[in-house]
Amino acid sequence: MTAPETLTMRVTVIAGERCADNFEVIRRGMSIGRIMRAIGVPTDKPQWTWNCYVHGRPSSADDNGTDHDL
């Protein structure tokens, strides 16, 4: 049986600054997406947004979304 893939998250760093509630998703040492708290969203709406990058394939509407919690 093949071992399951492991995904990890690390805090996003932009221009040397750590971004609160903003994470890169890592698979096999490569960044494949991000998960971050949405800014300015009403509290009754999903507070988190995510996207993924599928290398070698154009982006599609299924490559991102929102949810109420991390």
Side-chain angles (χ1 to χ4, degrees), residues 9-61:
M9 293 187 341
R10 71 177 172 217
V11 174
T12 301
V13 177
I14 299 174
E17 297 290 322
R18 294 171 62 92
C19 302
D21 293 331
N22 190 324
F23 305 92
E24 289 182 83
V25 179
I26 309 299
R27 176 181 176 247
R28 296 183 182 176
M30 295 177 57
S31 177
I32 63 164
R34 287 177 62 191
I35 299 172
M36 65 197 89
R37 185 178 289 278
I39 298 171
V41 176
T43 57
D44 63 327
K45 301 293 182 195
Q47 297 296 302
W48 290 87
T49 184
W50 62 269
N51 61 32
C52 64
Y53 319 117
V54 181
H55 301 285
R57 193 188 83 173
S59 296
S60 75

